[in-house]
Amino acid sequence: MNAFYASVEVIEDPSLAAKPLIVGGSGDRGVVASCSYEARAYGIHSAMPSAQARRLCPQAVFVHGDHARYSEYSRRIHDVFASFTPLVEGVALDEAYLDVSGARLLFGPGPRIADAVRRRVRDEVGLDSAVGVATTKLIAKLASKAAKPRATLRALDPGPGVVVVEPGAELDFLHPLGVSALPGVGPGTRSRLERFGVITVGDLAAIPLDTLTASLGPSLGRHLHELARAHDDRRVEPERAVKSVGHEETYARDLVDADDLRREVVRLSDAVSARLRSSGLAGRTVTVKVRFHDHATITRSHTGPYPLDTGPELARAASSLLERVDSCSGVRLLGVSVSGLAAGASRQLSLDWVEQGRAAAGPGWAQASRAVDEVRSRFGEGAVGPAALLDERGIRVRRTGDQQWGPSDDTRQGKS
Amino acid sequence: MKFSCERDVLLEALAVASRAATGRGGSLPVLSGVRLEVGGDRLYVAGSDLDLTIRVETQVKGSQDGVCVLPARTVTEITRALEAGAVSIESDEDEAHLSSGRYRSSLRALPADDFPRVPALTRGDGGVTEGVVNLDVGDVGQALRQVVRAASSDDARPILTGVLMTAEEGGLRLVATDSYRLAIRDLPGRNVLGEGQQVLVPSKALAELQRLLPSVSEVELAFGDHDATFDLAGVRLTTRLIEGDFPNYRQLIPSSYPNRLVVDKEEIQGALRRVRLLARDATTPVRLALRPDTIELSVVTSDLGQASEEVDSKYEGTEMTVAFNPGYLVDGIEATDGDEVSLETIDALRPAIIRGTGSEEFLYLLMPVRVS
């Protein structure tokens, strides 16, 4: 989709049309999640700090975004995709790979399917999209980027909408692109490659594998060597297994106090564990992400002997990771995630609950958590939660999509 | 510093001491080294990671007293690769020269002043023992084999990475738990600690001790306020003790069990070995269906397959199915003495006890896996 969140906001509120619109956190610490092409004309792009975006375009309209609404639109887009082929691999709410090789008899060749998908998403959902058609995921993704609109201050070039890279023409398409078009090439790798005089993917393809692995390491070197030759044998996998479940949050004010940090860990852990349980998953590896006052970001993780899916267990693991981090300079962002996921059906019981004299109560938090899930499904997420999250306004549980792009102005000023 | 000796003598000393040295890239680079000290005809080789220090004393032909610290891995590998015969090492300010036959090498030395001092045992007013105690290595080796395995390797809970050594009815008791299982071994009549006293020894140090025991006949134990030493012929192992309170393990052990299974140890071990092959990882449980004359062991892994095997048994109690982590179960059964092993349970959610029949000295408590 083109400018997905921003376009959804325009559908919901047509008065926003043709304005520089930014979806994201409006506070000092917010980031731009998505922006309209009118905003892009000012040089604003997603992941840019909101403060910078505001400097570039003071008249931009900020909206905070609504995760539930985007999920609903996403579902409708995916319904359209699914009507063409069952082989749909969702990459993001607004992005998917479709393997249409088996659908050509029904709907015609790839380029015709691309046009049909675009048209139906436009007619049925109201959103503009860009489609790349190619023989591999890598080229299709890059072609879809080439199909997108481009904005300048003078005019909006609507883009071709569909870009087709015919079989055999992959290298002609790929080689003129800059190396940073390839997945795995960030600013660091790009500047290292530039020192070799490698600017385009074509330059990269001319470098021998040995030279690449020597300077970039064996795995990245080999990866880029393959990509530069347009070798990509990844299939479209309809049900990509979830690899991790996590939440993170940027705070309006740096957290310094150990009790505050601990409370936030409990809050994030509670939300992550609820999501794990709702998908029937549990995970062994707990990762804590901390961004300090100076934006330096670290992660710490620990793999325990057994998969976890309850808030208290997760909070304990995450807290003990956080205790080993020096947070006295202030924490602006905190994240808790769980990976190493497996179906949560069986569970090693621990002697801890026997020691704590709860032998008669059964296997501790597992049952309590199930009860919490049931109460929340009937009475809402704020109906029950860890006591640490209680304040005068009730239980401050974290909801999916909350503060995704940083706190907004009003929380900065302490209003509710 | 200058000395020479047989390659095998040097290799053994280096190999033992360097087990306490840390890998490269640690916070204190000198800890990746071994410290060699020559005094007369004695060579002392020490490795340390600050928590654990292993020092080996051996006889060499010394020609000049002195100290140098060499990279543990490199010097051990060189010595291992040498032909049998005499080796000599001579060090000056910042280099050591190693030669043997027609082989020569120069190694850059690590700063000897940075190497931690081998701690002398401190015995303050609260000192745990006066003097030292000798222990028969046969018993100690077996006790360590039974107990150390149950200690945790999870640094997030440091207390559980230790083995509790405590005075118990005039003997010594070893206890370890990783919060999923608990192993207890009594060594009656071994008065190592004063009555009611206890220390928490890192299991890593005890695992090293275990490796060294087969080559000696006696081990001498001494406890200080913050550390413990184990003296074996020519090797001294010094470890920091873990501070903190060990969980109250006594209350974990139920006083009575309504269900008791007795089964041949070798048979159940064989069956476990076979059914376990279909467990995808350590967290796939093995189920035990307990019935009067036979038990059935089974493993189900949804996208791999399933396996089961029946084993003859004597079972008194309610018929039920209880599931365990296969690794923990195998560990417990393997640790028991005797030809038969007993499994006592209350229900499928409470701790079970594994013992060797006819032995009261070892007990292994294991929490089940809850299966849906």
Side-chain angles (χ1 to χ4, degrees):
Chain A
M1 298 307 117
N2 302 334
F4 176 56
Y5 297 152
S7 304
V8 169
E9 293 299 334
V10 172
I11 296 174
E12 296 287 326
D13 179 1
S15 75
L16 297 171
K19 287 184 182 157
L21 173 66
I22 292 173
V23 178
S26 56
D28 284 348
R29 298 189 156 183
V31 291
V32 176
S34 167
C35 57
S36 65
Y37 283 90
E38 289 77 4
R40 289 180 202 204
Y42 290 87
I44 297 169
H45 55 78
S46 53
M48 174 183 277
S50 296
Q52 191 185 347
R54 204 189 293 276
R55 274 198 303 278
L56 289 170
C57 178
Q59 70 272 33
V61 182
F62 274 81
V63 295
H64 199 255
D66 180 342
H67 195 271
R69 186 184 292 160
Y70 305 146
S71 298
E72 168 59 20
Y73 275 84
S74 173
R75 192 190 54 72
R76 287 164 58 191
I77 300 163
H78 279 80
D79 284 349
V80 174
F81 297 162
S83 70
F84 287 92
T85 170
L87 299 178
V88 177
E89 175 180 335
V91 186
L93 281 180
D94 64 328
E95 195 177 324
Y97 291 107
L98 278 69
D99 180 346
V100 297
S101 48
R104 284 174 295 186
L105 272 179
L106 268 176
F107 299 104
R112 193 180 300 167
I113 298 178
D115 285 329
V117 169
R118 266 195 97 219
R119 194 171 52 245
R120 283 191 46 201
V121 170
R122 168 84 246 177
D123 294 348
E124 294 171 28
V125 190
L127 291 168
D128 280 322
S129 56
V131 184
V133 182
T135 50
T136 63
K137 281 161 90 169
L138 169 72
I139 303 292
K141 162 99 186 176
L142 295 174
S144 78
K145 277 193 183 155
K148 284 196 177 257
R150 260 168 249 300
T152 62
L153 279 175
R154 224 170 283 154
L156 176 69
D157 166 9
V162 175
V163 168
V164 179
V165 179
E166 296 290 346
E170 287 89 355
L171 295 181
D172 297 339
F173 170 78
L174 182 65
H175 281 178
L177 299 177
V179 277
S180 53
L182 296 179
V185 181
T189 308
R190 192 183 72 183
S191 67
R192 212 176 310 168
L193 287 169
E194 274 173 3
R195 263 179 268 147
F196 287 97
V198 172
I199 309 294
T200 65
V201 180
D203 298 339
L204 183 66
I207 305 265
L209 175 61
D210 290 349
T211 314
L212 271 186
T213 52
S215 77
L216 302 176
S219 110
L220 183 59
R222 189 160 300 124
H223 174 70
L224 294 184
H225 184 77
E226 289 292 304
L227 292 186
R229 280 159 184 69
H231 291 169
D232 176 16
D233 53 7
R234 292 171 301 157
R235 299 172 152 275
V236 173
E237 292 169 38
E239 280 179 31
R240 247 188 357 164
V242 185
K243 290 209 174 103
S244 74
V245 172
H247 278 305
E248 57 187 53
E249 187 158 330
T250 306
Y251 299 101
R253 281 192 207 89
D254 286 345
L255 302 180
V256 180
D257 189 61
D259 286 344
D260 291 343
L261 283 166
R262 158 93 196 150
R263 188 175 311 119
E264 288 308 314
V265 165
V266 169
R267 197 156 151 265
L268 294 166
S269 301
D270 175 61
V272 172
S273 66
R275 266 177 65 201
L276 284 170
R277 291 193 301 273
S278 74
S279 354
L281 294 171
R284 286 175 62 191
T285 302
V286 178
T287 302
V288 170
K289 175 175 170 183
V290 183
R291 180 165 299 148
F292 297 104
H293 183 75
D294 61 358
H295 285 250
T297 307
I298 57 155
T299 60
R300 294 285 180 269
S301 55
H302 173 72
T303 301
Y306 272 90
L308 308 178
D309 72 348
T310 68
E313 290 174 304
L314 188 50
R316 185 167 81 178
S319 302
S320 85
L321 285 168
L322 194 62
E323 273 165 20
R324 285 181 269 169
V325 173
D326 177 11
S327 54
C328 59
S329 74
V331 170
R332 60 182 287 141
L333 175 146
L334 203 58
V336 172
S337 66
V338 175
S339 53
L341 301 178
S346 64
R347 168 63 61 99
Q348 170 72 49
L349 304 175
S350 158
L351 286 162
D352 292 343
W353 58 263
V354 183
E355 193 203 350
Q356 287 155 18
R358 292 202 304 265
W365 288 114
Q367 281 180 345
S369 300
R370 266 204 299 276
V372 166
D373 292 341
E374 279 171 39
V375 169
R376 284 179 176 169
S377 76
R378 275 185 70 180
F379 301 107
E381 289 176 276
V384 61
L389 307 186
L390 196 65
D391 65 16
E392 60 276 10
R393 282 175 288 170
I395 302 174
R396 283 190 323 119
V397 296
R398 195 180 191 290
R399 295 179 171 83
T400 303
D402 256 6
Q403 291 217 337
Q404 206 162 10
W405 307 298
S408 52
D409 267 338
D410 52 14
T411 48
R412 182 182 55 177
Q413 274 140 29
K415 288 183 236 154
S416 63
Chain B
M1 181 200 81
K2 186 176 180 187
F3 71 92
S4 62
C5 65
E6 282 299 305
R7 181 203 73 154
D8 290 349
V9 171
L10 180 62
L11 179 58
E12 161 137 25
L14 287 171
V16 170
S18 63
R19 290 195 55 85
T22 62
R24 276 173 300 179
S27 54
L28 198 52
V30 75
L31 297 182
S32 67
V34 279
R35 181 181 187 274
L36 282 71
E37 178 176 358
V38 172
D41 278 342
R42 310 300 293 171
L43 168 69
Y44 304 90
V45 184
S48 175
D49 65 2
L50 296 180
D51 288 338
L52 171 68
T53 302
I54 300 178
R55 195 183 71 155
V56 185
E57 181 182 349
T58 191
Q59 180 85 27
V60 295
K61 188 170 172 304
S63 9
Q64 191 193 340
D65 290 0
V67 175
C68 85
V69 178
L70 296 178
R73 226 182 109 190
T74 312
V75 69
T76 309
E77 288 308 311
I78 290 174
T79 309
R80 198 188 306 281
L82 292 174
E83 302 282 350
V87 184
S88 71
I89 295 184
E90 180 175 3
S91 73
D92 54 34
E93 195 75 337
D94 48 20
E95 249 185 357
H97 307 281
L98 186 151
S99 58
S100 173
R102 293 153 78 172
Y103 174 81
R104 301 274 176 284
S105 60
S106 298
L107 282 170
R108 190 154 295 276
L110 294 158
D113 293 343
D114 293 355
F115 200 85
R117 283 194 318 144
V118 177
L121 217 51
T122 47
R123 290 201 193 86
D125 293 338
V128 177
T129 51
E130 290 294 326
V132 293
V133 186
N134 292 316
L135 282 176
D136 175 57
V137 294
D139 281 356
V140 176
Q142 188 197 35
L144 292 176
R145 189 178 62 75
Q146 291 173 318
V147 171
V148 169
R149 64 184 70 203
S152 174
S153 54
D154 182 353
D155 288 330
R157 299 181 74 182
I159 300 268
L160 300 188
T161 63
V163 172
L164 182 74
M165 298 178 107
T166 172
E168 187 76 17
E169 291 165 10
L172 174 65
R173 170 174 280 187
L174 305 183
V175 188
T177 178
D178 61 6
S179 88
Y180 304 111
R181 65 250 176 91
L182 172 94
I184 302 176
R185 168 66 200 259
D186 284 322
L187 290 163
R190 303 282 190 279
N191 291 303
V192 176
L193 297 156
E195 190 63 41
Q197 292 187 311
Q198 55 182 48
V199 292
L200 198 50
V201 186
S203 60
K204 185 183 172 227
L206 293 177
E208 291 303 328
L209 177 63
Q210 217 181 327
R211 295 174 60 95
L212 295 169
L213 283 178
S215 56
V216 297
S217 59
E218 214 173 46
V219 54
E220 205 172 277
L221 243 80
F223 293 103
D225 291 340
H226 303 293
D227 30 47
T229 64
F230 301 88
D231 273 311
L232 304 93
V235 181
R236 165 171 284 197
L237 205 142
T238 305
T239 177
R240 174 192 58 87
L241 295 173
I242 298 172
E243 315 269 335
D245 293 325
F246 196 76
N248 180 1
Y249 68 93
R250 283 170 213 275
Q251 72 179 52
L252 300 177
I253 304 163
S255 49
S256 70
Y257 285 90
N259 310 302
R260 184 163 191 267
L261 168 81
V262 176
V263 62
D264 183 84
K265 184 176 164 183
E266 271 183 30
E267 276 183 39
I268 192 165
Q269 281 182 311
L272 274 169
R273 202 163 41 237
R274 286 181 287 273
V275 297
R276 222 188 136 170
L277 296 173
L278 282 185
R280 188 180 18 218
D281 56 35
T283 63
T284 309
V286 53
R287 289 160 212 246
L288 273 64
L290 306 175
R291 294 189 293 260
D293 300 318
T294 57
I295 58 163
E296 187 190 59
L297 287 73
S298 63
V299 167
V300 182
T301 301
S302 54
D303 46 3
L304 186 60
Q306 62 181 78
S308 67
E309 182 164 339
E310 285 190 357
V311 177
D312 291 336
S313 66
K314 286 168 272 183
Y315 181 64
E316 290 161 19
T318 324
E319 289 192 22
M320 64 168 165
T321 297
V322 56
F324 298 104
N325 171 313
Y328 295 168
L329 182 61
V330 166
D331 267 0
I333 292 172
E334 206 257 329
T336 59
D337 295 324
D339 299 334
E340 287 187 320
V341 52
S342 73
L343 175 83
E344 294 160 308
T345 60
I346 300 171
D347 57 33
L349 299 178
R350 276 182 276 194
I353 282 189
I354 295 170
R355 290 182 223 259
T357 52
S359 164
E360 291 296 312
E361 290 173 4
F362 175 68
L363 175 155
Y364 187 87
L365 187 75
L366 174 58
M367 281 305 280
V369 172
R370 177 168 51 83
V371 290
S372 46

